[in-house]
Amino acid sequence: MLSRTHFIYISACVAAFSPSCLLSFSVAAMQVTEAFKHAFLKQMLLGFQASAVSTNSMGIQERKNAIKLSADVAMAVFRGSRKWTRGLIAGLSEKQQNRSFLQLILGEQYERRLMKPCYSSWKIPRCRTIVRRSLRVCCRRQKKKKNQSGVLARTLVEKRTQQLKRLVPGGESMDGLSLLDETLDYVLSLRAQVDLMQSLLTTVESSKLRSHSKRTLTERKASYVGK
Amino acid sequence: MSSRRARSRQSTSSSRITDEQINDLVSKLQAVLPEARLHGCLSMQVSAAKVLQETCNYIRSLHREVDDLSERLSELLATTEASSAQAAIIRSLLK
């Protein structure tokens, strides 16, 4: 478990290394900016501490879920208040076991969110038959003008949009333009999350190898001296 | 993608702005997708349905990657001592 001194050390590091200029979450060319990296890893560390990931008593699946939860919360917390981040937190809160963790990490922010009505669960009522029927009616009205491929394309877009709504957290209650906007933001955040987790994995792996080789070297030395 | 019917109900000026914005977002989304380089920047008129489909596939693959990375991290941390795990995390913070 992290002691208080560790936490102070981390905060100092983050403060020392974060750039003084405003963080820019550039849509056109998303690079993993230093501030994002620090904030994300700091959140993950807090998450690990909160869910006691480093204790050996956890099973692999349990630990994996805790890590994934920490990563998702870190991603949402950093990005701030957006439709998909609110949808993500709401989705995570639906599971009873996540609530105490979310409470710990988000603090009073979380309680405020619970007070607000949950918009993410509001789905735009959409009956497929009605949509198809209305498309057919529209097609009949402008039969001469419209070409078949246009109708097909629109139905396809409709289908794909439904799929996307299911994938993006909180997507069910989004429409048209905002869905595209949120999707773009979500994809960029996911990419950054993957990059950071990858680099974290590499660091842990390399540090393990280093400590392992150090240990074998010490053991070899000790056995040699003993002879 | 709001249907053309809904858009035609709005005034023509607002629907023109909305169309532009939609096209802008769709092209931005296309630029973000990994196959953007394969399709080439030559194809200006990529169908919206294709972009949406690619986006769905991409999001699914990213979810799978996060899942896989979480599992690998979990396996690693299982056999690592608490102090060295946290030291490793702090080290990547400092890099």
Side-chain angles (χ1 to χ4, degrees):
Chain A
M1 291 288 274
L2 275 181
S3 68
R4 192 170 158 70
T5 40
H6 276 130
F7 187 82
I8 294 168
Y9 175 68
I10 292 163
S11 318
C13 288
V14 170
F17 285 98
S18 58
S20 51
C21 56
L22 273 173
L23 167 75
S24 62
F25 193 84
S26 144
V27 170
M30 171 64 185
Q31 328 127 328
V32 179
T33 59
E34 279 305 298
F36 175 80
K37 182 177 164 187
H38 291 131
F40 183 89
L41 287 172
K42 176 181 160 194
Q43 276 298 321
M44 274 203 79
L45 206 50
L46 285 173
F48 284 7
Q49 183 192 10
S51 51
V53 151
S54 306
T55 58
N56 291 325
S57 53
M58 270 189 170
I60 289 191
Q61 277 304 311
E62 201 187 334
R63 189 179 287 111
K64 169 191 157 186
N65 293 333
I67 290 172
K68 204 162 159 201
L69 182 62
S70 303
D72 283 342
V73 173
M75 183 173 68
V77 164
F78 177 77
R79 200 58 199 101
S81 186
R82 290 210 61 136
K83 288 189 184 149
W84 69 263
T85 58
R86 276 174 263 146
L88 183 65
I89 303 284
L92 290 172
S93 317
E94 273 166 25
K95 291 195 184 156
Q96 184 70 43
Q97 65 254 37
N98 293 339
R99 286 193 201 144
S100 53
F101 176 83
L102 288 166
Q103 179 84 40
L104 204 64
I105 295 291
L106 300 173
E108 53 173 51
Q109 254 187 68
Y110 183 59
E111 294 195 15
R112 253 185 279 135
R113 244 183 268 252
L114 286 179
M115 295 299 171
K116 274 197 209 155
C118 190
Y119 291 114
S120 67
S121 58
W122 174 64
K123 297 183 185 184
I124 297 175
R126 204 182 285 255
C127 175
R128 240 179 263 159
T129 355
I130 292 176
V131 174
R132 265 196 230 123
R133 215 180 286 150
S134 57
L135 274 173
R136 246 181 282 144
V137 168
C138 191
C139 183
R140 245 180 268 137
R141 274 194 206 144
Q142 304 172 32
K143 210 180 190 177
K144 292 168 189 170
K145 297 180 190 171
K146 198 158 292 170
N147 55 348
Q148 286 298 83
S149 60
V151 176
L152 181 67
R154 230 185 306 137
T155 331
L156 205 60
V157 165
E158 183 70 36
K159 230 169 99 175
R160 299 280 174 242
T161 313
Q162 289 306 313
Q163 276 181 354
L164 191 63
K165 282 190 178 183
R166 267 179 255 128
L167 282 171
V168 174
E172 301 283 342
S173 57
M174 291 181 213
D175 205 10
L177 203 68
S178 61
L179 176 66
L180 285 179
D181 193 35
E182 294 293 312
T183 308
L184 192 58
D185 200 72
Y186 182 54
V187 168
L188 292 171
S189 296
L190 272 180
R191 269 224 307 228
Q193 183 191 44
V194 165
D195 287 340
L196 283 171
M197 285 180 78
Q198 182 66 58
S199 69
L200 182 63
L201 188 68
T202 323
T203 319
V204 176
E205 270 175 353
S206 61
S207 74
K208 258 197 112 173
L209 280 169
R210 228 178 293 138
S211 66
H212 179 75
S213 61
K214 230 188 273 175
R215 229 180 292 135
T216 18
L217 188 66
T218 338
E219 281 168 10
R220 257 188 269 139
K221 272 190 186 162
S223 66
Y224 182 72
V225 169
K227 276 185 187 151
Chain B
M1 289 295 170
S2 43
S3 70
R4 226 170 282 164
R5 277 179 298 124
R7 261 187 264 146
S8 63
R9 272 193 229 120
Q10 299 167 21
S11 67
T12 41
S13 55
S14 65
S15 69
R16 236 177 277 138
I17 297 169
T18 322
D19 274 358
E20 243 180 73
Q21 284 178 316
I22 290 180
N23 287 333
D24 188 41
L25 281 174
V26 169
S27 56
K28 276 194 185 140
L29 208 52
Q30 195 199 340
V32 156
L33 297 173
E35 281 97 38
R37 283 166 252 128
L38 296 176
H39 290 162
C41 309
L42 313 164
S43 57
M44 307 278 269
Q45 288 298 322
V46 183
S47 73
K50 188 88 170 110
V51 171
L52 287 176
Q53 187 190 4
E54 293 294 329
T55 311
C56 289
N57 294 338
Y58 190 40
I59 293 179
R60 280 191 212 111
S61 79
L62 285 172
H63 283 167
R64 274 197 300 267
E65 256 193 87
V66 170
D67 209 56
D68 178 56
L69 285 168
S70 307
E71 188 148 1
R72 284 163 66 187
L73 266 172
S74 167
E75 285 167 8
L76 258 185
L77 291 176
T79 53
T80 313
E81 294 164 4
S83 53
S84 49
Q86 278 143 14
I89 294 172
I90 295 170
R91 213 172 290 128
S92 44
L93 256 175
L94 298 176
K95 262 196 215 160

Short mmCIF file of all heavy atoms in Angstrom, two decimals, chain B residues 37-73:
data_model
loop_
_atom_site.label_atom_id
_atom_site.label_comp_id
_atom_site.label_asym_id
_atom_site.label_seq_id
_atom_site.Cartn_x
_atom_site.Cartn_y
_atom_site.Cartn_z
N ARG B 37 -4.68 5.36 -44.28
CA ARG B 37 -3.52 5.40 -45.18
C ARG B 37 -3.70 4.45 -46.36
O ARG B 37 -3.26 4.70 -47.46
CB ARG B 37 -2.25 5.01 -44.41
CG ARG B 37 -1.75 6.14 -43.54
CD ARG B 37 -0.72 5.66 -42.52
NE ARG B 37 -1.24 5.64 -41.19
CZ ARG B 37 -1.17 4.57 -40.39
NH1 ARG B 37 -0.64 3.46 -40.80
NH2 ARG B 37 -1.66 4.63 -39.18
N LEU B 38 -4.40 3.31 -46.08
CA LEU B 38 -4.60 2.32 -47.14
C LEU B 38 -5.54 2.85 -48.22
O LEU B 38 -5.26 2.73 -49.40
CB LEU B 38 -5.16 1.01 -46.55
CG LEU B 38 -4.25 0.27 -45.56
CD1 LEU B 38 -4.95 -0.94 -44.99
CD2 LEU B 38 -2.97 -0.16 -46.25
N HIS B 39 -6.67 3.41 -47.76
CA HIS B 39 -7.63 3.93 -48.74
C HIS B 39 -7.03 5.09 -49.50
O HIS B 39 -7.44 5.42 -50.60
CB HIS B 39 -8.92 4.41 -48.06
CG HIS B 39 -9.73 3.29 -47.52
ND1 HIS B 39 -10.70 3.48 -46.58
CD2 HIS B 39 -9.72 1.97 -47.76
CE1 HIS B 39 -11.25 2.31 -46.29
NE2 HIS B 39 -10.68 1.38 -46.98
N GLY B 40 -6.06 5.72 -48.88
CA GLY B 40 -5.40 6.84 -49.52
C GLY B 40 -6.20 8.12 -49.39
O GLY B 40 -7.42 8.09 -49.36
N CYS B 41 -5.50 9.22 -49.32
CA CYS B 41 -6.19 10.50 -49.22
C CYS B 41 -6.77 10.90 -50.56
O CYS B 41 -7.36 11.96 -50.70
CB CYS B 41 -5.23 11.57 -48.71
SG CYS B 41 -4.36 11.08 -47.22
N LEU B 42 -6.60 10.05 -51.58
CA LEU B 42 -7.11 10.36 -52.90
C LEU B 42 -8.63 10.24 -52.92
O LEU B 42 -9.32 11.01 -53.57
CB LEU B 42 -6.52 9.41 -53.95
CG LEU B 42 -5.00 9.19 -53.91
CD1 LEU B 42 -4.62 7.98 -54.72
CD2 LEU B 42 -4.29 10.43 -54.43
N SER B 43 -9.14 9.23 -52.19
CA SER B 43 -10.58 9.01 -52.23
C SER B 43 -11.29 10.03 -51.34
O SER B 43 -11.31 9.90 -50.14
CB SER B 43 -10.92 7.60 -51.78
OG SER B 43 -10.40 7.38 -50.49
N MET B 44 -11.84 11.05 -51.97
CA MET B 44 -12.50 12.10 -51.22
C MET B 44 -13.89 11.67 -50.81
O MET B 44 -14.37 11.97 -49.75
CB MET B 44 -12.61 13.37 -52.10
CG MET B 44 -11.28 13.79 -52.69
SD MET B 44 -10.34 14.74 -51.51
CE MET B 44 -10.88 16.38 -51.92
N GLN B 45 -14.55 10.95 -51.72
CA GLN B 45 -15.95 10.59 -51.50
C GLN B 45 -16.09 9.20 -50.91
O GLN B 45 -16.61 8.32 -51.55
CB GLN B 45 -16.73 10.68 -52.84
CG GLN B 45 -16.95 12.10 -53.33
CD GLN B 45 -17.79 12.90 -52.35
OE1 GLN B 45 -18.72 12.39 -51.75
NE2 GLN B 45 -17.43 14.17 -52.17
N VAL B 46 -15.58 9.03 -49.70
CA VAL B 46 -15.78 7.74 -49.03
C VAL B 46 -17.16 7.79 -48.40
O VAL B 46 -17.52 8.75 -47.75
CB VAL B 46 -14.70 7.51 -47.96
CG1 VAL B 46 -14.87 6.14 -47.33
CG2 VAL B 46 -13.32 7.64 -48.57
N SER B 47 -17.92 6.72 -48.59
CA SER B 47 -19.30 6.74 -48.10
C SER B 47 -19.31 6.80 -46.58
O SER B 47 -18.45 6.24 -45.91
CB SER B 47 -20.03 5.49 -48.57
OG SER B 47 -19.57 4.37 -47.85
N ALA B 48 -20.33 7.50 -46.08
CA ALA B 48 -20.46 7.65 -44.63
C ALA B 48 -20.67 6.31 -43.96
O ALA B 48 -20.13 6.06 -42.88
CB ALA B 48 -21.63 8.58 -44.33
N ALA B 49 -21.41 5.42 -44.63
CA ALA B 49 -21.66 4.10 -44.06
C ALA B 49 -20.35 3.35 -43.86
O ALA B 49 -20.15 2.67 -42.84
CB ALA B 49 -22.59 3.30 -44.96
N LYS B 50 -19.44 3.48 -44.83
CA LYS B 50 -18.15 2.78 -44.74
C LYS B 50 -17.35 3.32 -43.55
O LYS B 50 -16.78 2.55 -42.79
CB LYS B 50 -17.38 3.01 -46.05
CG LYS B 50 -16.12 2.20 -46.16
CD LYS B 50 -16.39 0.82 -46.77
CE LYS B 50 -15.09 0.14 -47.09
NZ LYS B 50 -14.76 -0.96 -46.29
N VAL B 51 -17.34 4.65 -43.42
CA VAL B 51 -16.59 5.26 -42.32
C VAL B 51 -17.17 4.81 -40.98
O VAL B 51 -16.43 4.45 -40.07
CB VAL B 51 -16.63 6.80 -42.42
CG1 VAL B 51 -16.05 7.44 -41.17
CG2 VAL B 51 -15.86 7.27 -43.63
N LEU B 52 -18.48 4.79 -40.87
CA LEU B 52 -19.12 4.36 -39.63
C LEU B 52 -18.79 2.91 -39.31
O LEU B 52 -18.49 2.57 -38.16
CB LEU B 52 -20.64 4.52 -39.73
CG LEU B 52 -21.18 5.95 -39.67
CD1 LEU B 52 -22.68 5.94 -39.89
CD2 LEU B 52 -20.87 6.59 -38.34
N GLN B 53 -18.80 2.07 -40.37
CA GLN B 53 -18.49 0.66 -40.16
C GLN B 53 -17.06 0.49 -39.68
O GLN B 53 -16.79 -0.25 -38.73
CB GLN B 53 -18.71 -0.12 -41.46
CG GLN B 53 -18.55 -1.61 -41.27
CD GLN B 53 -18.52 -2.34 -42.59
OE1 GLN B 53 -18.54 -1.73 -43.65
NE2 GLN B 53 -18.48 -3.64 -42.52
N GLU B 54 -16.14 1.20 -40.34
CA GLU B 54 -14.73 1.11 -39.96
C GLU B 54 -14.54 1.60 -38.52
O GLU B 54 -13.75 1.03 -37.77
CB GLU B 54 -13.87 1.97 -40.90
CG GLU B 54 -13.79 1.48 -42.33
CD GLU B 54 -13.08 0.14 -42.44
OE1 GLU B 54 -12.18 -0.14 -41.63
OE2 GLU B 54 -13.45 -0.63 -43.33
N THR B 55 -15.27 2.67 -38.16
CA THR B 55 -15.17 3.20 -36.81
C THR B 55 -15.63 2.17 -35.79
O THR B 55 -14.97 1.96 -34.77
CB THR B 55 -16.01 4.48 -36.66
OG1 THR B 55 -15.73 5.36 -37.74
CG2 THR B 55 -15.72 5.18 -35.36
N CYS B 56 -16.76 1.52 -36.08
CA CYS B 56 -17.26 0.48 -35.17
C CYS B 56 -16.23 -0.62 -34.99
O CYS B 56 -15.92 -1.03 -33.86
CB CYS B 56 -18.56 -0.12 -35.70
SG CYS B 56 -19.96 0.97 -35.60
N ASN B 57 -15.65 -1.06 -36.13
CA ASN B 57 -14.64 -2.12 -36.04
C ASN B 57 -13.42 -1.67 -35.25
O ASN B 57 -12.87 -2.42 -34.44
CB ASN B 57 -14.18 -2.55 -37.45
CG ASN B 57 -15.29 -3.23 -38.22
OD1 ASN B 57 -16.24 -3.74 -37.65
ND2 ASN B 57 -15.17 -3.21 -39.54
N TYR B 58 -13.02 -0.42 -35.47
CA TYR B 58 -11.85 0.10 -34.79
C TYR B 58 -12.08 0.19 -33.29
O TYR B 58 -11.21 -0.18 -32.50
CB TYR B 58 -11.49 1.47 -35.37
CG TYR B 58 -10.16 2.03 -34.93
CD1 TYR B 58 -9.04 1.22 -34.82
CD2 TYR B 58 -10.02 3.38 -34.64
CE1 TYR B 58 -7.82 1.73 -34.43
CE2 TYR B 58 -8.80 3.89 -34.26
CZ TYR B 58 -7.71 3.07 -34.14
OH TYR B 58 -6.50 3.59 -33.76
N ILE B 59 -13.26 0.71 -32.89
CA ILE B 59 -13.57 0.80 -31.46
C ILE B 59 -13.56 -0.58 -30.83
O ILE B 59 -13.01 -0.77 -29.74
CB ILE B 59 -14.93 1.50 -31.22
CG1 ILE B 59 -14.85 2.97 -31.63
CG2 ILE B 59 -15.34 1.40 -29.77
CD1 ILE B 59 -16.15 3.73 -31.45
N ARG B 60 -14.14 -1.56 -31.55
CA ARG B 60 -14.15 -2.93 -30.99
C ARG B 60 -12.74 -3.45 -30.81
O ARG B 60 -12.42 -4.09 -29.80
CB ARG B 60 -14.96 -3.86 -31.90
CG ARG B 60 -16.45 -3.74 -31.68
CD ARG B 60 -17.20 -4.85 -32.38
NE ARG B 60 -18.50 -4.34 -32.79
CZ ARG B 60 -18.86 -4.13 -34.05
NH1 ARG B 60 -18.04 -4.43 -35.04
NH2 ARG B 60 -20.04 -3.64 -34.33
N SER B 61 -11.87 -3.18 -31.79
CA SER B 61 -10.50 -3.69 -31.67
C SER B 61 -9.74 -2.99 -30.55
O SER B 61 -8.94 -3.61 -29.84
CB SER B 61 -9.76 -3.56 -33.00
OG SER B 61 -9.31 -2.25 -33.19
N LEU B 62 -10.02 -1.70 -30.34
CA LEU B 62 -9.37 -0.98 -29.24
C LEU B 62 -9.84 -1.54 -27.90
O LEU B 62 -9.03 -1.69 -26.98
CB LEU B 62 -9.68 0.52 -29.33
CG LEU B 62 -8.93 1.31 -30.40
CD1 LEU B 62 -9.49 2.71 -30.50
CD2 LEU B 62 -7.45 1.37 -30.12
N HIS B 63 -11.13 -1.84 -27.79
CA HIS B 63 -11.64 -2.46 -26.56
C HIS B 63 -10.93 -3.77 -26.28
O HIS B 63 -10.53 -4.06 -25.14
CB HIS B 63 -13.15 -2.74 -26.68
CG HIS B 63 -13.98 -1.52 -26.52
ND1 HIS B 63 -15.33 -1.48 -26.83
CD2 HIS B 63 -13.70 -0.27 -26.07
CE1 HIS B 63 -15.81 -0.28 -26.58
NE2 HIS B 63 -14.85 0.47 -26.13
N ARG B 64 -10.73 -4.57 -27.36
CA ARG B 64 -10.05 -5.87 -27.19
C ARG B 64 -8.63 -5.66 -26.71
O ARG B 64 -8.12 -6.40 -25.87
CB ARG B 64 -10.05 -6.65 -28.50
CG ARG B 64 -11.30 -7.48 -28.75
CD ARG B 64 -11.04 -8.51 -29.82
NE ARG B 64 -10.65 -7.89 -31.08
CZ ARG B 64 -11.50 -7.56 -32.06
NH1 ARG B 64 -12.78 -7.82 -31.91
NH2 ARG B 64 -11.07 -7.01 -33.17
N GLU B 65 -7.97 -4.63 -27.27
CA GLU B 65 -6.58 -4.36 -26.89
C GLU B 65 -6.48 -3.97 -25.43
O GLU B 65 -5.58 -4.44 -24.71
CB GLU B 65 -6.02 -3.22 -27.75
CG GLU B 65 -5.09 -3.71 -28.83
CD GLU B 65 -4.31 -2.59 -29.45
OE1 GLU B 65 -3.23 -2.26 -28.92
OE2 GLU B 65 -4.80 -2.05 -30.47
N VAL B 66 -7.39 -3.11 -24.96
CA VAL B 66 -7.39 -2.70 -23.56
C VAL B 66 -7.58 -3.92 -22.67
O VAL B 66 -6.89 -4.09 -21.66
CB VAL B 66 -8.49 -1.66 -23.28
CG1 VAL B 66 -8.66 -1.42 -21.80
CG2 VAL B 66 -8.18 -0.35 -23.97
N ASP B 67 -8.51 -4.79 -23.08
CA ASP B 67 -8.77 -6.01 -22.33
C ASP B 67 -7.51 -6.86 -22.24
O ASP B 67 -7.12 -7.32 -21.16
CB ASP B 67 -9.87 -6.78 -23.06
CG ASP B 67 -10.68 -7.62 -22.12
OD1 ASP B 67 -11.22 -7.06 -21.16
OD2 ASP B 67 -10.75 -8.84 -22.33
N ASP B 68 -6.85 -7.04 -23.38
CA ASP B 68 -5.64 -7.86 -23.45
C ASP B 68 -4.53 -7.27 -22.59
O ASP B 68 -3.86 -7.98 -21.84
CB ASP B 68 -5.20 -7.97 -24.91
CG ASP B 68 -3.93 -8.76 -25.06
OD1 ASP B 68 -3.90 -9.91 -24.60
OD2 ASP B 68 -2.96 -8.21 -25.62
N LEU B 69 -4.34 -5.94 -22.69
CA LEU B 69 -3.29 -5.28 -21.91
C LEU B 69 -3.57 -5.37 -20.41
O LEU B 69 -2.65 -5.58 -19.62
CB LEU B 69 -3.17 -3.80 -22.32
CG LEU B 69 -2.47 -3.54 -23.65
CD1 LEU B 69 -2.67 -2.10 -24.08
CD2 LEU B 69 -1.00 -3.85 -23.56
N SER B 70 -4.85 -5.24 -20.03
CA SER B 70 -5.20 -5.36 -18.61
C SER B 70 -4.85 -6.74 -18.11
O SER B 70 -4.32 -6.89 -17.00
CB SER B 70 -6.70 -5.13 -18.40
OG SER B 70 -7.11 -3.94 -18.94
N GLU B 71 -5.12 -7.75 -18.95
CA GLU B 71 -4.83 -9.13 -18.54
C GLU B 71 -3.33 -9.32 -18.36
O GLU B 71 -2.89 -9.92 -17.37
CB GLU B 71 -5.37 -10.10 -19.58
CG GLU B 71 -5.29 -11.54 -19.14
CD GLU B 71 -6.42 -12.39 -19.71
OE1 GLU B 71 -7.24 -11.85 -20.46
OE2 GLU B 71 -6.44 -13.58 -19.38
N ARG B 72 -2.55 -8.81 -19.30
CA ARG B 72 -1.10 -8.99 -19.21
C ARG B 72 -0.53 -8.26 -18.00
O ARG B 72 0.33 -8.78 -17.30
CB ARG B 72 -0.44 -8.51 -20.50
CG ARG B 72 -0.61 -9.51 -21.63
CD ARG B 72 -0.34 -8.91 -22.97
NE ARG B 72 1.06 -8.52 -23.12
CZ ARG B 72 1.52 -7.85 -24.17
NH1 ARG B 72 0.70 -7.48 -25.13
NH2 ARG B 72 2.79 -7.54 -24.25
N LEU B 73 -1.04 -7.04 -17.75
CA LEU B 73 -0.60 -6.30 -16.58
C LEU B 73 -0.96 -7.05 -15.31
O LEU B 73 -0.16 -7.12 -14.36
CB LEU B 73 -1.27 -4.91 -16.55
CG LEU B 73 -0.50 -3.76 -17.17
CD1 LEU B 73 -1.38 -2.54 -17.24
CD2 LEU B 73 0.75 -3.46 -16.39
#
